[in-house]
Amino acid sequence: MNNQRGGTAAVDTAPKPDFWYGLPHGYLELDFNPTEEGVAELARQISGLPEEARDRADQAFRLYAMTALLLQKQPVAVCALGMHPDGNGEASLSVLTISVFPSGGANPLRVLASMVGDNAGGNANHGMQPIELPVGVGFLIEQVRKTVAPGVPPEGHEGPLEGSVWQGTVAVPEPRTSSIITVQLVTSAVELADDYRSVLLGTARTLTFKDPTAEADQGPGPVAPGSAAQAVQSDFG
């Protein structure tokens, strides 16, 4: 557990978070609303790199800029990139996002409950299953799907390459704003799905609609069962 942060569905001059969450170890939050000054400073730093490193850094910068533009068009409140050892001496990459979807004025719990009926008989790879969270009931959806693999296809290969990814999502109803908050984790390390499921559920258990800084202002005290503090202790140590 790194720290407790707030998230909001919209950006304004002084946003008050609609929810708070914790990021697991090994995840770095991506700023997809950078200031012009921040972008200019990053470009300046890249231009000052040695020539052998400049091209690679410039490619990463362009990828970051493209990703930021795509995220700005989606209801994504949080995006974090993860890098962890995979047990074979290599790095396993994953993307963690938290998004907010309006339910159109309908009761978000009823919307999700009706989806469970439509996806009855779900298993570890498909379907939708209710789960208990500190904030109440949530719904877990998992799937292994095909997607376009990053990189340039080998010479002579027609069309882009495809690869498999594991995608896990926890959907949480938020009755106060008639919204559905989703915590989603995607990785190409399909063989590590059990580990990433634990990370996904651990993150979802830190989700809270109560400002944890208000509790901190009251001074230390006993950890209440079902509180965000207990979720942090249980899931991230």
Side-chain angles (χ1 to χ4, degrees), residues 82-94 187-189 191-192 196:
M83 180 179 293
H84 301 84
D86 63 359
N88 297 319
E90 298 182 359
S92 173
L93 304 177
S94 60
T187 180
S188 59
E191 69 281 2
L192 299 177
Y196 280 109

Side-chain angles (χ1 to χ4, degrees), residues 51-188:
E51 183 176 355
E52 59 272 14
R54 191 182 310 147
D55 289 343
R56 183 176 299 178
D58 184 64
Q59 290 178 4
F61 176 71
R62 292 175 185 274
L63 177 61
Y64 165 68
M66 186 185 309
T67 302
L69 287 174
L70 291 174
L71 291 175
Q72 289 172 3
K73 299 177 182 179
Q74 304 296 326
V76 177
V78 182
C79 179
L81 304 180
M83 180 179 293
H84 301 84
D86 63 359
N88 297 319
E90 298 182 359
S92 173
L93 304 177
S94 60
V95 179
L96 176 68
T97 56
I98 303 179
S99 305
V100 182
F101 297 90
S103 62
N107 185 306
L109 179 57
R110 291 183 179 178
V111 171
L112 290 171
S114 66
M115 295 174 65
V116 173
D118 296 338
N119 292 274
N123 52 47
N125 293 320
H126 300 282
M128 192 171 184
Q129 307 171 46
I131 58 175
E132 289 295 329
L133 298 172
V135 293
V137 66
F139 299 85
L140 172 65
I141 310 104
E142 294 183 62
Q143 61 176 321
V144 175
R145 61 184 181 85
K146 292 286 187 180
T147 188
V148 176
V152 179
E155 186 176 351
H157 192 280
E158 296 183 3
L161 295 176
E162 288 190 343
S164 295
V165 297
W166 175 86
Q167 177 178 295
T169 306
V170 174
V172 181
E174 215 291 66
R176 297 180 309 166
T177 59
S178 297
S179 300
I180 297 172
I181 298 176
T182 64
V183 183
Q184 186 174 88
L185 187 58
V186 179
T187 180
S188 59

Side-chain angles (χ1 to χ4, degrees), residues 2-20:
N2 291 340
N3 53 23
Q4 204 76 19
R5 307 179 183 215
T8 182
V11 177
D12 55 35
T13 55
K16 181 179 179 180
D18 296 325
F19 59 89
W20 288 262

Side-chain angles (χ1 to χ4, degrees), residues 21 27 30 32-33 49 52 68 72-73 91 94 128 130 137 149 159 163 179 190 201 218 222 232 234:
Y21 59 93
Y27 283 87
L30 177 66
F32 50 90
N33 285 296
L49 292 174
E52 59 272 14
Q72 289 172 3
K73 299 177 182 179
S94 60
M128 192 171 184
V137 66
S179 300
V190 178
L201 294 176
Q218 298 174 3
V232 169
S234 300

